[in-house]
Amino acid sequence: MQKDNGFMPALILCLIVLVTSTLLAFTNQITYEPRLALEAATAKANQLAMFPDASEFRPMEIGDVQAAYPGLVSANLAIKDGQTIGILIQAKSRGYGGNVPVLVAVDPEGSITNLKILSNDETPGLGKKIEDPGFFGQFIGKTADKLFTIKSDEPDKTHIDAIAGATISSRAVNEAMNQAVSAYQMLASEVK
């Protein structure tokens, strides 16, 4: 009769898992601060891309607004020479591959002056077309006093053409923009 040697491979596997987990935790720990610095630098670069003339960005209190619009991520006042030159709003909505975050610049008159689709996991080829200026450019120049829609049967909203074959991704950008516009309407009254 042959002796069962199942204990030794299980022990070796447990040791491999323990060593691998320890190495992953160590790598995470030593890269934590550089990753935070990179995220901060990217956020600052995105802010400056939206309002190149701004000298500073002041975070706004969004607690009550975020309760009403859960897609709202952040809001910042863009300041130049002590004067507010706009509000920068980040919002998100669920797309095909996960959350689709947008960064929206609104000037003091309530006009959308710039829009950036931030990093997302939408489908390469189709879903990623939301990052093309031909799509997101439809929002720029519109006022932030009306919601957007990709449906043709909603005349009280501003119509945006969806990307053929990427309706879920288009809808995600549309919904994120609606979250941002709705949040702007509440936040703008606090600024004035």
Side-chain angles (χ1 to χ4, degrees):
M1 182 171 217
Q2 196 169 10
K3 189 175 178 183
D4 184 15
N5 290 330
F7 177 74
M8 196 54 136
L11 180 63
I12 291 171
L13 183 60
C14 285
L15 286 173
I16 291 171
V17 168
L18 180 65
V19 169
T20 304
S21 298
T22 303
L23 288 173
L24 283 172
F26 178 70
T27 302
N28 183 52
Q29 186 64 28
I30 63 173
T31 61
Y32 180 72
E33 287 194 25
R35 283 184 285 128
L36 285 180
L38 181 62
E39 286 177 15
T42 302
K44 184 71 171 172
N46 284 337
Q47 289 174 333
L48 286 172
M50 302 301 279
F51 283 107
D53 295 339
S55 56
E56 70 174 298
F57 294 91
R58 290 187 193 147
M60 298 179 73
E61 177 59 43
I62 61 169
D64 294 340
V65 180
Q66 195 172 35
Y69 303 103
L72 179 64
V73 176
S74 66
N76 291 280
L77 290 175
I79 309 292
K80 177 184 178 184
D81 300 328
Q83 299 293 320
T84 300
I85 60 172
I87 298 178
L88 189 59
I89 299 171
Q90 183 177 343
K92 65 182 178 183
S93 183
R94 180 97 177 130
Y96 186 78
N99 283 326
V100 176
V102 299
L103 193 58
V104 185
V106 184
D107 69 12
E109 289 78 39
S111 181
I112 298 170
T113 59
N114 211 339
L115 170 65
K116 181 172 180 141
I117 310 295
L118 300 175
S119 180
N120 61 76
D121 293 325
E122 295 304 282
T123 309
L126 285 177
K128 287 291 187 182
K129 288 183 180 180
I130 59 174
E131 297 174 3
D132 292 343
F135 172 69
F136 73 77
Q138 297 177 81
F139 296 95
I140 298 173
K142 305 287 193 285
T143 58
D145 61 350
K146 283 176 70 175
L147 297 178
F148 298 98
T149 185
I150 59 173
K151 298 176 183 176
S152 59
D153 62 344
E154 295 180 308
D156 57 323
K157 298 180 180 178
T158 303
H159 179 73
I160 300 297
D161 292 326
I163 298 168
T167 307
I168 295 172
S169 301
S170 300
R171 190 177 302 128
V173 173
N174 184 76
E175 181 55 34
M177 285 299 296
N178 285 340
Q179 292 282 311
V181 165
S182 297
Y184 168 78
Q185 292 169 1
M186 290 181 74
L187 293 169
S189 64
E190 295 175 19
V191 175
K192 295 179 181 178

